[in-house]
Amino acid sequence: MIHVRDLTKHYADLQKGRIDALGGVSFDAMPGQIYGLLGPNGAGKTTVLRILSTILRPSGGSASVNGYEVLTQASQVRHQIGFVSANTAVYDRMTAWEMVEYFGRLYGIEDEPLRERMDDVFARLQMDEIRDVLGAKMSTGMRQKVSIARAIVHDPPVLIFDEATNGLDVLVARSLLKTVSELRDHGKCIVFSTHIMREAEKLCDRIAIMHHGHILAEGPLDELRDRHEQHDLEELFFRLISDHGSGVAAGASW
């Protein structure tokens, strides 16, 4: 469903010179699976997701989504994905229904199929009571539901969640994670980036631990625990980050 091979991304900086955001990232995510990108801020998670979403062009390597290449078939890729982040904008002067309908029309869905699809989505996400609520009057939880609804209105096979629980209270975050799990159960391929250990443990079928643009470890959680002889994910995470940091420092001094 998603195949990423040796993905690199670098930027030119007038003061620092070349900045490497990604240094050869590879992974596969499959239908009915939540693939977690776990790492601290600045690890490269968002860069990967923006490339998969065709927002950024990679400097090297390749990535495909449901058989379409992100570089050469960007338009087709956009129809395969739904994207949700903590910063997804909600328009203040549009109601929940109007916003989701607007995005459905952007995807070219005809009137009657769109109406049926929206009825299903609003019922599934328990949004019927906020159909006519303006964006300006929505709570954080309402806004996040609208973000999810507009991401899935075209029924994409792939969903991308980029730090989607940032800034949410416990109840809203819990509801979002439940929704993500249910979407997985409907056969969606989901890439879920987070820096929160508990989310990764509870939700993800496979985890890639990222740091400074590299994947330090990847696989099912139980396999990672056995491989690194560490049951506690947080301790495993910090050990990998620390070892990688020491390696970078040693390389720099050499």
Side-chain angles (χ1 to χ4, degrees):
M1 184 66 71
I2 294 178
H3 304 290
V4 175
R5 292 292 176 272
D6 299 320
L7 207 60
T8 63
K9 181 63 180 178
H10 57 76
Y11 302 92
D13 185 277
L14 293 177
Q15 293 182 330
K16 300 179 181 179
R18 171 169 154 163
I19 297 176
D20 292 312
L22 295 179
V25 169
S26 299
F27 67 87
D28 299 299
M30 307 308 291
Q33 180 185 84
I34 299 175
Y35 191 95
L37 294 179
L38 177 63
N41 293 334
K45 306 186 301 296
T46 294
T47 301
V48 171
L49 300 186
R50 287 179 175 172
I51 290 173
L52 289 177
S53 305
T54 75
I55 299 171
L56 285 179
R57 292 175 62 88
S59 302
S62 64
S64 65
V65 177
N66 203 23
Y68 297 102
E69 296 292 327
V70 298
L71 268 177
T72 60
Q73 298 172 296
S75 178
Q76 293 94 322
V77 168
R78 293 183 196 117
H79 281 78
Q80 306 302 310
I81 63 173
F83 192 99
V84 180
S85 78
N87 300 316
T88 305
V90 170
Y91 303 118
D92 287 350
R93 297 185 180 181
M94 296 176 74
T95 66
W97 185 267
E98 288 170 340
M99 276 184 273
V100 178
E101 182 181 42
Y102 174 69
F103 277 82
R105 293 190 185 281
L106 287 179
Y107 283 106
I109 307 175
E110 297 294 333
D111 288 350
E112 190 59 33
L114 177 56
R115 175 65 185 236
E116 293 176 0
R117 177 64 182 163
M118 289 178 63
D119 283 336
D120 176 66
V121 168
F122 271 66
R124 187 192 309 177
L125 297 179
Q126 299 180 343
M127 292 175 57
D128 285 322
E129 70 278 7
I130 67 167
R131 281 190 180 207
D132 300 321
V133 176
L134 289 171
K137 297 183 178 180
M138 290 181 187
S139 67
T140 302
M142 292 176 185
R143 287 172 174 259
Q144 198 66 312
K145 280 189 175 184
V146 171
S147 296
I148 296 171
R150 76 186 198 186
I152 67 174
V153 67
H154 60 300
D155 198 22
V158 175
L159 291 164
I160 295 173
F161 290 82
D162 184 18
E163 301 278 4
T165 61
N166 275 6
L168 301 184
D169 65 42
V170 174
L171 292 178
V172 176
R174 185 182 182 91
S175 176
L176 184 144
L177 297 181
K178 181 175 181 290
T179 299
V180 173
S181 180
E182 290 171 351
L183 289 167
R184 185 244 332 261
D185 294 342
H186 280 83
K188 304 297 185 184
C189 173
I190 297 172
V191 181
F192 188 91
S193 87
T194 183
H195 62 272
I196 302 173
M197 308 294 160
R198 176 61 177 156
E199 289 182 358
E201 285 182 309
K202 183 176 181 179
L203 203 61
C204 299
D205 302 293
R206 295 182 71 89
I207 294 173
I209 297 176
M210 292 192 66
H211 188 52
H212 288 328
H214 296 272
I215 291 180
L216 306 184
E218 190 272 354
L221 181 55
D222 288 341
E223 182 181 305
L224 290 176
R225 286 168 168 160
D226 291 341
R227 187 190 314 161
H228 296 277
E229 299 180 344
Q230 178 55 251
H231 179 75
D232 184 77
L233 178 61
E234 185 171 300
E235 186 61 34
L236 189 160
F237 175 84
F238 283 115
R239 183 183 296 177
L240 284 170
I241 298 296
S242 177
D243 289 346
H244 184 257
S246 298
V248 170
S253 64
W254 177 259

